[in-house]
Amino acid sequence: MTAVVQQVQDIFAGRRLASIGLSWLILILIVAIAAPLIAPFDPYEIDPIARLSPPGWPHLFGTDHFGRDTFSRAIYGARMTVLIGSGSVIVALLTGGLIGMLSAYFTRAGNVLMRGVDVLMAFPALLLALVLITLLERSVVNTIIVIGIVYATTTARILYGMTLKLKREVFVDAAICSGAGHGSILFRHILPNLLSPLLVQASFIFAFAQLQAAALDFLGLGLPAEVPSWGNMLAEERIYITRAPWLLLFPGALIILSVFSMNLVGDAMRDSIDPRFKDDIAGV
Amino acid sequence: MPLLEVDNLEIAIAMRGQLLPVVRGISFSVDEGETLGIVGESGCGKSLTSLAIMGLLDGTPVRITGGDIRFEGQDLRQLNRRERRAIMGSRMAMIFQEPMTSLNPVYRIGDQIVENLRQHQKISQKAARARAIELLELVRIPEPQQRVDSYPHQMSGGQRQRVMIAMALSCDPKLLIADEPTTALDVTVQKEVLDLMADLQERMGTAIVLISHDLGVIAETCDKVAVMYRGKIAEAAPTDDLFARLAHPYTRGLLNSIPVVDRDVEWLEAIPGRVPGIDEDIEGCAFHPRCPRAQDICRRNEPKQHRIGNEHTSHCHFAEEAAP
Amino acid sequence: MFAYTIKRLLTLIPTLLAASVLVFLFVHLIPGDPASILLGDTATPEEVAALTKELGLDKPLIVQYFYWLIQVVQGDFGRSLFFGAPVLSVIANGAQTSILLALMTMVWIVIFGIPIGVLSASYQGRWVDQLTSGGAMLFASVPTFWLGLYLILIFAVWLGWLPSSGFPAIDGVGALGHLRYLLLPSLTLAAPNAALIIRLVRASMLDVSREDHVRTARAKGLHPSRVAIKHIFRNALIAVAAAFGFTFAALVSEAVVTETVFSLPGIGQLVVQSILRRDYPVIQGVILVIVVLYAVVNLLVDLAYARLDPRVSLQ
């Protein structure tokens, strides 16, 4: 644990902006966990009399066109942010990461698999998401799966390249000579070397996933409309922008701050990883 | 008046908010048409010295912290950037260690020579191209009319270094600084390039500062030698005098460690110990932790300059006792 | 160059074929009978039976695929359920708007992205660099539609300088008036992509500036601006060109959102509307067109790459 803390300190020492970003993300996480304790109102409670009221007391961020408290909805929206972000990261890393690693390790079957990945990469990201979403119902899980698969392709490509590089290293030869099996070589010798670049990749996926999820919400193809996500808040209230310009300001600013923070953190971490892998990871 | 005069030059690297000295007050001079060899292990400050003379430290964390560099009587540190650039590539030129990467991969070699010519001379594109072909012929590139349009990746390492030499000599410089020009090349090619440089020097009267870690290379080509260790000149002498009487144990170590046949031998191993890091403090003589003859005095006091012959100096407490 | 182009074109075929299989299977993956799906809810059983026969839906899947592929190659993508018109003409209607939007966006990306990236790299570590590269990362973090909505609010609603949405026919408003409708959408679409280009130009210029040949260029006594443009930027352009394929993909994705925000009748909006209308033949057609376009763009990127870097062998 202290080693982890030390490493985090090393990465963020002297990077004020990235440290602020990290603090913001931790704050979002705390808010997401403690949402019911923090939110002053029920995020679903409709109050027709207080429709579209401006920011003030007791509605800090004002209310939407149903009279729901924007601040409370934003607090609950943090949950969706954390859920969609980490869910997409897990799907992308588990599927894409595994495909990439195995393809690089077992080259013959891998060539075929990677051709499949190439085919999926022939579809621009949001387009692929749209195609997949057509086949599925609007739900939180499906949104996570769709965004996860979109980024699984790039993750597979990246891990494929990095594993190929590692396979040529002496320590892998040494492991083979000492009689290690495939599983042991892959997961005990190769994977540990890939963990920090994977973490960087994860942070960029987390950031991109927010933007893609918000875009899907906006198009009416993401989370179910009643779910209080920041993207849905924007989508639902967009037509009231002229009457209540502040209404879209808060959820928008929250998305921007979170994506920006994640990008800053990813950027800081990328600078501190093995230079061999730096070029493999595409971020912002 | 010497062509180049370096007086008590000090160079430091800015690292983590402090200045770490790398070159600690060195002085030498080069006359017109003369060749000076600067020899030492990597990290001794010889390359930074050459970059400082050339004026290529801008934009790096390295800076000159003291001393003077006079070239043709001008104090280079007093010149502004524009005046400085007017000298670079014209009256003073430089070639580097890495011929494979020192040319821009996206331009034809002829255009790269033309660029240097047209930077400093009023000359038409056509005339510059003709001159580039002449220069390629001068450095013995076969079929220069065709090769002028080659890209760097289409040439071998030796050929690329010849192109670098052609480019450096394009404006008839008074001084050529060569930083390990043959280190990255095969032995046979090394010899050819060194011979070429010697030949051109004779014809054009260019003075050369040759930086190398290889005392053998220096011995073959230089009029005089300065041996550097940890940012200082350990021993300096005309080449013949130096080999007639080695007056510093470090020079002796360098000489003993020249591999005869097998180039792959890591020659630093021959001198015991390792080059101290730039952030380490050493009391007394900087070489004493590795010196086979170190005495108490070496651990306590820094040696002064001892004059052995007319132009032969050594920074060793036992310089005068050194066996011939 | 020609032979290389042909060779690269040939290597596209397997990928495109595989993508076409996916697009074909797409209709079959939707729960329900493909003929009813393609005809929509209002179809009579007779119509369904007729289409089933016409498309050979009673035949094995692989035969159906080849039927379909042959038609697609001939430019027959079927009929739109919603418009009743051939899919290709529906797409062609939207293409004009989208292509204009893309071109205008590219202009902004180049105008803003490249000079700011060069500036940022030239002042590495100084406040200019921190401001521009930090700003670029911020812009890359902004949801496109959010930016679009506020641009509409400020410039169309409050200031009234520009139209808020739509795209009237060119003969009604004249060429310049026509482009006015694209000004806000193209700026919206350009913002995140220009931001990416800024960061890319900066990063690759910093990479190049550490290379040995830049030191050689400086040793020639060249002016720093000449070193920056002719030597550093020219070499950094290779990496930037290679990334333009990604930019195109991002552009397509974000155009879908931008066209929706500004109610532009382009291909992007067509995709979304068709998904919401369950107009499957149009979805299939648009996706195929975009995939082919994307492949061609990547081919062009490769060719540009080869022209920029003499080390890339065309053999």
Side-chain angles (χ1 to χ4, degrees):
Chain A
M1 192 61 203
T2 46
V4 175
V5 171
Q6 180 61 46
Q7 219 176 346
V8 170
Q9 276 175 353
D10 284 351
I11 293 171
F12 291 95
R15 292 171 173 273
R16 214 157 7 115
L17 215 50
S19 311
I20 297 173
L22 185 66
S23 317
W24 173 259
L25 293 172
I26 293 170
L27 181 72
I28 293 288
L29 185 65
I30 295 171
V31 167
I33 294 168
L37 300 176
I38 300 171
F41 292 90
D42 178 347
Y44 298 99
E45 191 189 275
I46 293 171
D47 181 359
I49 298 161
R51 294 179 70 219
L52 301 178
S53 53
W57 192 259
H59 299 291
L60 285 179
F61 289 180
T63 56
D64 66 11
H65 73 287
F66 286 123
R68 294 177 297 197
D69 180 46
T70 306
F71 182 70
S72 301
R73 287 181 75 75
I75 295 287
Y76 276 85
R79 290 193 152 178
M80 285 302 128
T81 297
V82 174
L83 202 64
I84 299 281
S86 40
S88 312
V89 165
I90 290 168
V91 172
L93 293 194
L94 277 187
T95 57
L98 219 54
I99 289 175
M101 257 179 81
L102 292 175
S103 301
Y105 192 77
F106 302 105
T107 14
R108 198 171 306 167
N111 276 333
V112 181
L113 265 180
M114 288 315 289
R115 286 316 298 246
V117 171
D118 281 346
V119 172
L120 284 184
M121 286 184 90
F123 298 85
L126 189 66
L127 200 69
L128 181 58
L130 287 177
V131 175
L132 294 173
I133 219 106
T134 318
L135 304 173
L136 303 166
E137 303 245 310
R138 280 178 80 174
S139 78
V140 177
V141 175
N142 287 345
T143 304
I144 289 175
I145 291 176
V146 164
I147 296 176
I149 289 178
V150 168
Y151 290 107
T153 56
T154 39
T155 309
R157 269 256 144 254
I158 290 166
L159 269 184
Y160 180 73
M162 294 195 297
T163 311
L164 275 186
K165 278 183 200 168
L166 282 176
K167 240 178 84 179
R168 290 190 286 265
E169 300 273 319
V170 182
F171 71 88
V172 173
D173 290 338
I176 295 170
C177 291
S178 66
H182 292 314
S184 160
I185 292 171
L186 264 174
F187 295 103
R188 291 198 31 222
H189 295 277
I190 291 181
L191 186 62
N193 284 288
L194 295 174
L195 284 182
S196 47
L198 267 179
L199 201 63
V200 178
Q201 174 69 7
S203 66
F204 289 126
I205 294 177
F206 192 102
F208 285 132
Q210 301 305 330
L211 291 177
Q212 298 288 6
L216 286 177
D217 286 351
F218 177 77
L219 296 174
L221 296 167
L223 304 174
E226 68 279 5
V227 173
S229 71
W230 296 339
N232 267 347
M233 292 170 72
L234 293 175
E236 286 199 321
E237 305 305 320
R238 55 181 283 214
I239 49 172
Y240 301 97
I241 187 172
T242 45
R243 280 171 64 192
W246 60 83
L247 207 48
L248 277 71
L249 212 52
F250 296 107
L254 288 172
I255 294 177
I256 295 169
L257 274 178
S258 305
V259 175
F260 186 45
S261 299
M262 209 70 221
N263 278 332
L264 284 172
V265 169
D267 216 37
M269 289 199 296
R270 177 168 47 180
D271 286 348
S272 66
I273 60 169
D274 193 329
R276 273 180 307 175
F277 298 139
K278 213 163 271 180
D279 293 338
D280 290 313
I281 295 171
V284 178
Chain B
M1 182 186 69
L3 178 70
L4 173 76
E5 217 175 346
V6 171
D7 191 18
N8 210 17
L9 181 69
E10 290 173 22
I11 300 173
I13 299 185
M15 249 168 116
R16 291 185 219 100
Q18 50 180 334
L19 281 173
L20 299 171
V22 192
V23 172
R24 303 151 188 262
I26 61 169
S27 307
F28 57 81
S29 67
V30 183
D31 290 328
E32 290 208 13
E34 194 179 40
T35 303
L36 166 73
I38 301 181
V39 67
E41 289 163 287
S42 52
C44 72
K46 57 189 193 302
S47 280
L48 290 183
T49 304
S50 68
L51 292 176
I53 297 169
M54 190 65 196
L56 289 174
L57 293 181
D58 276 1
T60 70
V62 182
R63 60 203 53 143
I64 299 173
T65 47
D68 296 321
I69 304 169
R70 278 185 295 276
F71 178 65
E72 296 181 310
Q74 266 178 313
D75 186 346
L76 293 184
R77 292 189 64 198
Q78 302 302 323
L79 299 182
N80 66 30
R81 289 178 184 197
R82 203 174 54 79
E83 293 165 331
R84 195 71 212 260
R85 287 200 301 270
I87 297 176
M88 292 160 83
S90 63
R91 280 177 291 153
M92 189 194 287
M94 185 160 181
I95 58 177
F96 302 95
Q97 179 171 355
E98 303 84 7
M100 304 307 277
T101 52
S102 288
L103 290 162
N104 193 329
V106 305
Y107 294 119
R108 299 172 196 278
I109 56 159
D111 294 339
Q112 300 192 48
I113 298 174
V114 166
E115 183 180 40
N116 195 51
L117 275 166
R118 299 197 66 189
Q119 177 68 23
H120 299 287
Q121 295 175 359
K122 288 224 175 311
I123 178 172
S124 72
Q125 176 71 31
K126 213 173 152 200
R129 186 182 153 91
R131 175 87 181 114
I133 295 172
E134 262 175 52
L135 284 160
L136 289 177
E137 195 164 10
L138 191 70
V139 296
R140 301 173 201 156
I141 298 275
E143 299 175 336
Q145 271 92 352
Q146 282 83 54
R147 297 319 293 267
V148 71
D149 289 324
S150 295
Y151 286 101
H153 72 275
Q154 294 163 332
M155 311 187 103
S156 69
Q159 284 178 324
R160 286 190 224 184
Q161 196 61 296
R162 288 160 195 271
V163 172
M164 283 295 291
I165 293 172
M167 197 156 81
L169 296 181
S170 59
C171 296
D172 284 319
K174 286 284 179 199
L175 176 68
L176 176 69
I177 302 173
D179 184 3
E180 306 263 14
T182 59
T183 307
L185 303 175
D186 289 340
V187 198
T188 47
V189 184
Q190 253 185 36
K191 177 108 179 62
E192 285 168 24
V193 170
L194 287 173
D195 286 348
L196 173 70
M197 283 172 62
D199 185 34
L200 291 177
Q201 176 179 33
E202 206 160 291
R203 282 208 265 172
M204 303 172 77
T206 318
I208 297 179
V209 173
L210 179 68
I211 313 277
S212 180
H213 66 269
D214 188 340
L215 203 50
V217 167
I218 300 269
E220 257 175 70
T221 45
C222 297
D223 302 316
K224 55 186 192 183
V225 186
V227 181
M228 272 182 84
Y229 187 76
R230 201 175 148 80
K232 288 192 171 172
I233 292 181
E235 183 171 5
T239 312
D240 295 341
D241 292 6
L242 185 86
F243 288 105
R245 186 179 176 190
L246 298 172
H248 197 290
Y250 180 62
T251 317
R252 183 176 298 279
L254 283 181
L255 192 63
N256 288 341
S257 63
I258 295 174
V260 182
V261 183
D262 188 355
R263 264 172 30 89
D264 285 340
V265 170
E266 182 67 346
W267 72 293
L268 294 182
E269 304 278 315
I271 302 176
R274 56 178 183 86
V275 182
I278 52 168
D279 51 350
E280 286 174 49
D281 268 330
I282 301 176
E283 221 174 304
C285 171
F287 187 58
H288 86 254
R290 304 172 69 191
C291 182
R293 318 180 34 170
Q295 310 284 318
D296 276 349
I297 184 174
C298 305
R299 285 180 263 276
R300 276 197 319 274
N301 300 338
E302 219 182 311
K304 292 193 298 284
Q305 190 187 68
H306 293 263
R307 236 167 226 295
I308 294 119
N310 221 358
E311 292 173 78
H312 194 164
T313 58
S314 162
H315 281 80
C316 175
H317 292 296
F318 305 102
E320 264 112 286
E321 298 166 25
Chain C
M1 199 75 179
F2 180 71
Y4 178 77
T5 313
I6 296 294
K7 211 183 110 199
R8 276 292 280 105
L9 270 173
L10 289 177
T11 60
L12 277 183
I13 290 173
T15 312
L16 287 180
L17 276 179
S20 75
V21 171
L22 284 188
V23 174
F24 166 75
L25 284 178
F26 163 73
V27 169
H28 292 265
L29 286 171
I30 300 162
D33 164 44
S36 338
I37 291 170
L38 287 176
L39 286 170
D41 301 333
T42 54
T44 61
E46 291 77 43
E47 283 173 327
V48 172
L51 189 68
T52 305
K53 199 154 174 59
E54 190 196 323
L55 295 180
L57 291 175
D58 42 1
K59 305 228 167 59
L61 214 52
I62 180 99
V63 178
Q64 290 179 40
Y65 170 70
F66 282 108
Y67 267 132
W68 175 79
L69 188 67
I70 287 164
Q71 288 190 319
V72 163
V73 171
Q74 291 168 343
D76 180 4
F77 289 64
R79 275 178 177 277
S80 161
L81 303 183
F82 183 80
F83 298 101
V87 168
L88 209 58
S89 71
V90 172
I91 294 175
N93 275 338
Q96 188 214 357
T97 311
S98 292
I99 290 170
L100 266 178
L101 176 65
L103 288 178
M104 205 158 161
T105 306
M106 276 318 229
V107 170
W108 297 134
I109 293 177
V110 172
I111 288 180
F112 289 112
I114 290 176
I116 296 179
V118 172
L119 195 74
S120 188
S122 309
Y123 288 91
Q124 189 208 355
R126 312 249 275 281
W127 68 267
V128 178
D129 173 36
Q130 282 169 351
L131 189 76
T132 49
S133 57
M137 194 190 268
L138 185 66
F139 266 101
S141 310
V142 176
T144 333
F145 62 90
W146 186 85
L147 183 66
L149 287 172
Y150 275 98
L151 285 181
I152 291 175
L153 182 69
I154 295 169
F155 291 100
V157 179
W158 287 350
L159 298 173
W161 291 351
L162 291 163
S164 67
S165 63
F167 197 50
I170 188 160
D171 25 302
V173 286
L176 266 182
H178 201 56
L179 290 182
R180 266 175 43 136
Y181 279 84
L182 288 181
L183 195 57
L184 287 182
S186 59
L187 282 172
T188 305
L189 191 49
N193 293 298
L196 291 179
I197 292 293
I198 289 174
R199 293 193 59 87
L200 190 70
V201 168
R202 174 183 183 273
S204 27
M205 278 189 70
L206 291 182
D207 279 349
V208 174
S209 66
R210 282 187 282 268
E211 285 174 17
D212 291 326
H213 64 81
V214 175
R215 189 181 51 191
T216 308
R218 292 202 292 130
K220 289 177 180 176
L222 304 179
H223 191 274
S225 62
R226 188 179 163 95
V227 175
I229 301 299
K230 264 207 82 174
H231 290 273
I232 302 177
F233 178 68
R234 172 62 180 77
N235 287 59
L237 210 53
I238 297 169
V240 175
F244 255 82
F246 292 106
T247 308
F248 177 80
L251 219 58
V252 169
S253 294
E254 277 147 14
V256 171
V257 175
T258 308
E259 288 179 6
T260 306
V261 172
F262 290 93
S263 310
L264 288 179
I267 290 181
Q269 210 194 8
L270 183 64
V271 177
V272 179
Q273 300 285 326
S274 302
I275 289 174
L276 293 171
R277 290 172 191 143
R278 311 228 154 244
D279 193 346
Y280 295 107
V282 176
I283 304 177
Q284 268 186 324
V286 173
I287 288 169
L288 262 185
V289 167
I290 291 180
V291 168
V292 171
L293 211 61
Y294 187 29
V296 172
V297 166
N298 274 325
L299 172 71
L300 291 178
V301 165
D302 275 5
L303 294 180
Y305 190 86
R307 274 201 70 83
L308 284 171
D309 189 349
R311 284 164 296 182
V312 174
S313 156
L314 294 180
Q315 304 321 309

